[in-house]
Amino acid sequence: MTTTPHPRDQVAPGTVTVFSDIWCSFAHVALHRLHTTRARLGLQERVRFDHRAFPLELFNNGPSPRPGTDSEVGGVAHIEPDAGWQLWRAPDWKFPSSSLPALEAVQLAKEQGLDASERLDLALRRAFWAQSRSIGARSVVLDVAEETSGVDAAPIAEGLDDGRARHAVTRDFACAREHRVQCSPHLYLPDGSDCANPGVTARWHGKYGTGFPEVTGNDPTVYAELLRRAAG
């Protein structure tokens, strides 16, 4: 018996539910493509993104190692360079040991509407992948929130401090395990369909943290169809 509703049963009309982690390079590609394709199609007022957490550190029982994310920049960034990338440039000790504070902040931003959570999610991804900022630190997460147009950082700070968003993240973790959400990113549409890592296939050479990813398929055109279906 499952304890959480199936993700496909919780997608509102005009919404794409996105399970992902912020320090996942493939999700960074997907969210960049979702935002840019939505703008190109003029669907900003008709389609919203509902972010749900796919916390890799809970699935993996540990944080993402810096060599792993650096290898993803080398192996994945070339398919969507405009998303913003760089190898980690801050001191090693500032590399985040957790993405949970950032994932919690995105859930807290939903209290201000899906538009606010979309903006904060995208800003936190860019902060990590393109700016080498430690998104595991409360102060950094709140700095990013304060810098993000359309986001009020004060209630996010309050929510991080009272811990109310941790349950949302762990609930999404339980949901992803129970209903076999495949990976970060995994999208669910209002018509009941879903798509894991849209348009991209890849394989790993060696173990994560010591090996590297190879993109074996890349079709960004699938996003237009996904968004048109979400728009109804």
Side-chain angles (χ1 to χ4, degrees):
M1 176 180 293
T2 60
T3 61
T4 60
H6 198 289
R8 72 168 61 96
D9 299 328
Q10 296 185 294
V11 185
T15 303
V16 178
T17 294
V18 184
F19 278 83
S20 71
D21 201 335
I22 289 173
W23 61 15
C24 169
S25 63
F26 294 100
H28 188 43
V29 168
L31 267 300
H32 177 76
R33 288 176 170 175
L34 282 169
H35 280 271
T36 56
T37 305
R38 183 178 65 177
R40 177 171 57 81
L41 296 177
L43 295 175
Q44 297 97 317
E45 302 303 318
R46 294 179 58 190
V47 179
R48 294 259 67 93
F49 306 139
D50 182 8
H51 286 286
R52 298 187 63 177
F54 191 91
L56 290 170
E57 67 194 86
L58 299 185
F59 281 101
N60 298 331
N61 293 316
S64 183
R66 177 190 162 182
T69 55
D70 278 352
S71 74
E72 292 182 63
V73 174
V76 178
H78 69 281
I79 69 172
E80 204 60 67
D82 291 341
W85 309 84
Q86 66 178 18
L87 298 177
W88 185 257
R89 294 299 184 93
D92 285 349
W93 56 269
K94 287 191 174 184
F95 189 83
S97 60
S98 174
S99 65
L100 293 182
L103 294 173
E104 291 173 25
V106 173
Q107 296 305 306
L108 289 164
K110 285 185 183 181
E111 298 172 359
Q112 303 171 41
L114 291 183
D115 180 66
S117 64
E118 287 180 16
R119 290 170 180 265
L120 183 57
D121 172 87
L122 195 60
L124 287 165
R125 293 179 194 279
R126 290 174 175 165
F128 176 68
W129 288 103
Q131 300 167 357
S132 297
R133 298 171 72 177
S134 185
I135 60 168
R138 175 187 182 279
S139 60
V140 173
V141 170
L142 293 179
D143 284 347
V144 174
E146 289 176 354
E147 296 161 9
T148 303
S149 175
V151 175
D152 184 353
I156 292 173
E158 178 183 310
L160 289 176
D161 291 344
D162 67 26
R164 65 178 182 264
R166 180 59 59 93
H167 176 67
V169 171
T170 56
R171 183 184 62 231
D172 283 349
F173 171 55
C175 176
R177 287 196 303 178
E178 288 180 344
H179 301 291
R180 299 184 180 180
V181 177
Q182 293 182 28
C183 62
S184 168
H186 195 148
L187 279 54
Y188 290 83
L189 275 63
D191 62 7
S193 63
D194 65 281
C195 185
N197 205 11
V200 178
T201 57
R203 63 177 179 174
W204 276 91
H205 296 267
K207 294 182 179 180
Y208 189 80
T210 57
F212 60 92
E214 175 192 3
V215 174
T216 56
N218 176 37
D219 180 11
T221 65
V222 301
Y223 283 86
E225 175 61 21
L226 291 171
L227 287 164
R228 289 190 181 104
R229 282 161 48 195

